[in-house]
Amino acid sequence: MWTSLERVVEQCRKENIDLLLIAGDLFHRQPLLRELKEVDSLFACLDKTQVVLSAGNHDYLKKDSYYRTFSWKEHVHMILTEDLSAVELPEIGTAVYGFSYGAREIEAMPYAGKRAEGRQPIEILMVHGGDGRHVPIKKEEIAGLGYDYAALGHIHKPQSVIPGKAAYSGALEPSDKNDTGPHGYILGEIADKKCRIKFVPFASREYIHLETEATGDMSGSRLKEKIREEIDERGRENIYKILLKGYRDPDVLFDLQAMDVYGNIIEIFDDTKPSYDFGKIKSQNKDNILGKLIEQLEGYDEDSVQYRAMCEGVRALMDTRRD
């Protein structure tokens, strides 16, 4: 987390950003005191940017949370109320309205019916939520509240809720192997009551689910080389979960552990099918159990249980013959 936050702070300094919003879950758990001091030290590097943050469902305000008593730098504003409240920043003509979680779950909508109050020329709503147990997001409700923009948190993937008016920035970096796709932040500008936003890719790496097609004439070493080529194309810095599809020589058993060329494959699944010539095998064995097995199960789709049963049955019977 520290590296990502350091990069965000440096970006704010370079681009002279007026306001940095963190809509909950700066931490994925209750923060330690030393961690808050570390974050505050990073924010101290900002000589122009105001910072407003709230607590989400993961770093919610427990009774003994260090959030409640921590003294931030003057330009860092932590929202500690569970009801919607405003942080006024007259130096940049902006008011930010938000709330913090006091528990892991909030089924209510603290923003509902809370219109922008006209405290400052620019008014921004900040909400952490998006599902039934964590502050449902109703775009029609938000659209009618009169805010210039709504900064949303909780959903890890970037997405627009109201074009140009409300969006999730998502997490700066992917948080687990299924957290695929680009990650970054939302960069916005509000002028003359018009809001312009864009998503800025920022993550150092991505989790990528990669399907690799094998063929019946492919050896393990050739498959390994193909995986290497596909990773080179998509980026060695990324982390991969690989699914092998297609066909393999019935006599070939892929060594999956050997396929991790760069040490960035966390999972690899072999869903290849043996490339048997079932018609030929059936004709050569029409008077025995092997031929009858194929006759009973042939014709089913390759993704069916029956097809897989035929493959396994043929393999087992042919292995018995070799023995």
Side-chain angles (χ1 to χ4, degrees):
M1 183 193 83
W2 304 123
T3 301
S4 298
L5 195 57
E6 286 171 356
R7 291 170 59 214
V8 167
V9 168
E10 183 60 26
Q11 198 75 359
C12 287
R13 292 181 63 188
K14 283 182 178 179
E15 299 191 20
N16 293 319
I17 300 298
D18 288 326
L19 178 62
L20 172 60
L21 298 175
I22 302 174
D25 284 355
L26 176 59
F27 297 90
H28 204 61
R29 50 165 173 73
Q30 291 296 308
L32 303 174
L33 180 58
R34 59 180 171 80
E35 292 173 329
L36 292 183
K37 289 182 177 180
E38 191 73 33
V39 171
D40 195 46
S41 177
L42 287 175
F43 288 156
C45 299
L46 297 171
D47 51 11
K48 185 179 184 295
T49 306
Q50 297 290 320
V51 181
V52 180
L53 68 156
S54 62
N57 60 298
H58 287 292
D59 58 354
Y60 69 97
L61 300 176
K62 292 179 69 175
K63 286 186 178 181
D64 58 351
S65 171
Y66 287 112
Y67 273 147
R68 293 185 179 276
T69 56
F70 189 76
S71 295
W72 297 92
K73 296 293 187 292
E74 186 177 354
H75 63 289
V76 181
H77 313 275
M78 176 82 194
I79 296 176
L80 295 173
T81 61
E82 296 178 41
D83 295 322
L84 198 74
S85 60
V87 174
E88 292 194 58
L89 306 168
E91 55 269 54
I92 58 173
T94 302
V96 179
Y97 297 74
F99 60 92
S100 278
Y101 277 58
R104 292 182 186 275
E105 298 180 0
I106 302 177
E107 296 183 6
M109 297 187 300
Y111 64 88
K114 304 295 179 61
R115 294 185 55 81
E117 298 174 4
R119 295 173 180 239
Q120 295 291 334
I122 296 172
E123 309 240 284
I124 296 173
L125 177 65
M126 191 166 69
V127 178
H128 186 93
D131 60 59
R133 295 183 299 142
H134 304 96
V135 185
I137 297 297
K138 305 294 185 183
K139 63 180 182 179
E140 297 83 3
E141 176 72 20
I142 291 175
L145 295 177
Y147 293 96
D148 296 289
Y149 178 68
L152 307 178
H154 183 61
I155 306 300
H156 288 187
K157 295 186 178 182
Q159 54 186 275
S160 173
V161 175
I162 304 173
K165 297 288 286 184
Y168 286 98
S169 63
L172 286 173
E173 300 281 351
S175 59
D176 63 51
K177 63 187 178 184
N178 294 315
D179 199 1
T180 57
H183 288 73
Y185 60 86
I186 298 290
L187 181 63
E189 179 181 4
I190 299 175
D192 300 324
K193 303 304 285 184
K194 294 181 180 179
C195 180
R196 293 184 294 274
I197 61 173
K198 68 175 181 178
F199 173 73
V200 180
F202 185 76
S204 301
R205 58 189 52 82
E206 293 182 23
Y207 282 104
I208 295 179
H209 293 181
L210 176 62
E211 282 195 8
T212 299
E213 195 78 13
T215 57
D217 60 349
M218 188 174 282
S219 65
S221 59
R222 177 62 192 101
L223 177 61
K224 181 178 179 178
E225 182 61 27
K226 184 176 183 182
I227 290 174
R228 182 204 300 271
E229 292 168 358
E230 293 189 354
I231 288 178
D232 285 344
E233 182 181 341
R234 292 164 177 80
R236 296 182 190 181
E237 74 280 3
N238 298 316
I239 302 172
Y240 293 85
K241 185 165 125 178
I242 293 179
L243 176 63
L244 302 178
K245 303 288 286 186
Y247 295 89
R248 69 179 186 280
D249 187 315
D251 294 322
V252 170
L253 183 63
F254 295 131
D255 183 355
L256 300 184
Q257 291 184 339
M259 302 296 170
D260 192 2
V261 182
Y262 299 118
N264 58 354
I265 299 175
I266 55 170
E267 288 182 334
I268 183 165
F269 297 97
D270 187 355
D271 195 35
T272 57
K273 302 175 181 68
S275 56
Y276 290 113
D277 185 340
F278 291 112
K280 182 178 179 180
I281 297 173
K282 184 177 72 169
S283 66
Q284 292 174 344
N285 296 272
K286 57 185 177 182
D287 296 324
N288 61 39
I289 189 172
L290 184 53
K292 293 183 183 303
L293 173 67
I294 296 173
E295 186 177 346
Q296 288 181 358
L297 295 177
E298 67 181 340
Y300 286 97
D301 186 82
E302 292 181 357
D303 292 325
S304 68
V305 174
Q306 292 86 350
Y307 184 87
R308 290 179 180 274
M310 181 171 63
C311 290
E312 290 301 316
V314 169
R315 182 186 62 80
L317 290 170
M318 294 187 73
D319 285 347
T320 301
R321 286 187 172 188
R322 294 190 186 101
D323 295 340

